[in-house]
């Protein structure tokens, strides 16, 4: 039998949405993270950080486990896995975004990786959140595009973006994640964020290429419930 999880992360996201409390998550790529500076890294995070996301596009056997364990020793922030590959799943974390790459047509990231993950997840205590992951063109070839061998949806194809998000919601995704890709030249535009937010009723996450406070605030203002920032904090890694 599949163990029930505690649903703490999703519950706190829903509560935040209800209270119009905006959420900041910081993404750690285990391939780039030096565990020796964990404390320093954590001390330099904005006070408003609510979740630590851990994951990267590259396959990294075992490294995620080490990084998550180290973070767990030093912070009470919930650790959310944001895996680029089934190898990055570890029970050491609190929660897993169970991602389906809805913008692409590569079965590996629509369902194959998900099926492969079940040997790890069937009896896992991880909270699992079904998440529709949508790549939006951010003006650069990011590693998620390279690895997934898919195309991002151009920013001007607004109705395709909205329909993809809604198709995700109607197929049961509890979160929709608009991703411009790590290091993207252009983050997802405020117009896209507000159009998607107006169309869906599940929480909306936005990430990729958000480097400044201004960009973060304009994503929030447009309707993002959560913003994920990675590169902006990598200096302190
Ligand atoms: C998370 O891929 C992003 O959605 C992180 O992107 O590294 O550009 O902040 P950055």
């Amino acid at each position: 039998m599949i163990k029930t999880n505690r649903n703490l992360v999703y519950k706190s996201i829903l509560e935040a949405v209800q209270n119009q409390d905006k959420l900041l998550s910081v993404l750690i790529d285990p391939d780039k993270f030096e565990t020796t500076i964990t404390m320093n890294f954590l001390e330099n995070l904005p006070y408003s950080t609510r979740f630590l996301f851990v994951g990267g596009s590259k396959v990294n056997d075992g490294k995620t486990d080490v990084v998550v364990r180290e973070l767990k020793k030093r912070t009470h922030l919930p650790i959310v896995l944001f895996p680029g590959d089934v190898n990055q799943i570890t029970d050491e974390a609190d929660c897993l975004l169970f991602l389906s790459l809805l913008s692409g047509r590569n079965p590996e990231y629509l369902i194959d990786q998900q099926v492969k993950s079940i040997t790890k997840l069937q009896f896992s205590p991880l909270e699992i959140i079904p998440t529709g992951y949508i790549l939006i063109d951010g003006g650069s070839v990011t590693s998620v595009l390279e690895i997934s061998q898919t195309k991002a949806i151009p920013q001007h194809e607004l109705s395709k973006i909205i329909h993809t998000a809604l198709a995700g919601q109607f197929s049961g995704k509890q979160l929709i994640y608009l991703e411009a890709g790590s290091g993207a030249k252009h983050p997802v535009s405020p117009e896209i964020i507000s159009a998607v937010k107006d169309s869906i009723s599940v929480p909306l996450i936005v990430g990729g290429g958000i480097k400044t406070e201004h960009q973060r605030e304009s994503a929030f203002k447009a309707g993002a419930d959560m913003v994920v920032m990675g590169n902006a904090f990598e200096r302190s890694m």
Side-chain angles (χ1 to χ4, degrees):
M1 197 179 73
I2 298 176
K3 275 194 208 166
T4 50
N5 57 56
R6 296 153 295 153
N7 253 345
L8 292 180
V9 169
Y10 194 61
K11 230 170 119 190
S12 65
I13 295 174
L14 289 181
E15 270 167 22
V17 173
Q18 206 168 20
N19 300 330
Q20 293 184 350
D21 180 14
K22 301 296 185 177
L23 300 165
L24 172 66
S25 296
V26 172
L27 174 65
I28 293 170
D29 183 339
D31 275 330
K32 297 182 190 159
F33 192 76
E34 277 305 329
T35 48
T36 46
I37 57 96
T38 305
M39 208 55 225
N40 185 41
F41 173 79
L42 291 170
E43 279 165 2
N44 283 310
L45 292 181
Y47 187 66
S48 57
T49 306
R50 291 283 296 274
F51 301 103
L52 292 179
F53 277 27
V54 178
S57 310
K58 306 251 157 70
V59 182
N60 61 357
D61 253 331
K63 181 88 196 284
T64 310
D65 205 62
V66 174
V67 170
V68 172
R69 210 172 307 146
E70 192 60 28
L71 290 167
K72 278 303 236 185
K73 272 194 239 160
R74 307 193 188 272
T75 177
H76 294 301
L77 288 172
I79 313 287
V80 177
L81 296 176
F82 173 58
D85 187 273
V86 69
N87 280 328
Q88 295 171 13
I89 296 175
T90 166
D91 280 354
E92 301 288 332
D94 299 295
C95 176
L96 165 75
L97 296 190
F98 198 69
L99 302 166
S100 293
L101 183 53
L102 302 180
S103 51
R105 298 296 175 265
N106 181 351
E108 181 67 22
Y109 294 96
L110 271 169
I111 191 63
D112 285 353
Q113 284 276 322
Q114 291 78 351
V115 172
K116 285 177 203 157
S117 71
I118 299 306
T119 45
K120 286 186 164 192
L121 293 178
Q122 190 171 9
F123 302 107
S124 164
L126 284 168
E127 174 181 348
I128 298 170
I129 309 179
T131 303
Y133 192 50
I134 301 173
L135 299 182
I136 310 292
D137 185 15
S140 14
V141 183
T142 53
S143 40
V144 62
L145 287 175
E146 277 179 344
I147 306 272
S148 69
Q149 293 288 302
T150 65
K151 288 197 189 101
I153 308 179
Q155 301 229 7
H156 63 85
E157 292 190 20
L158 189 57
S159 46
K160 187 168 181 190
I161 295 170
I162 294 171
H163 293 180
T164 306
L166 274 174
Q169 178 180 313
F170 293 163
S171 49
K173 306 302 179 213
Q174 293 178 352
L175 293 172
I176 294 296
Y177 195 137
L178 300 179
E179 170 73 88
S182 187
K185 228 187 275 168
H186 315 293
V188 180
S189 74
E191 294 69 32
I192 293 172
I193 296 173
S194 59
V196 171
K197 179 65 186 170
D198 287 347
S199 309
I200 61 174
S201 56
V202 295
L204 177 63
I205 305 181
V206 178
I210 300 175
K211 296 176 274 296
T212 65
E213 208 177 315
H214 174 75
Q215 288 172 321
R216 176 171 85 201
E217 290 313 307
S218 71
F220 281 143
K221 221 168 123 211
D225 298 301
M226 181 189 290
V227 163
V228 184
M229 294 171 78
N231 269 331
F233 299 105
E234 276 177 14
R235 271 165 289 124
S236 48
M237 283 190 196

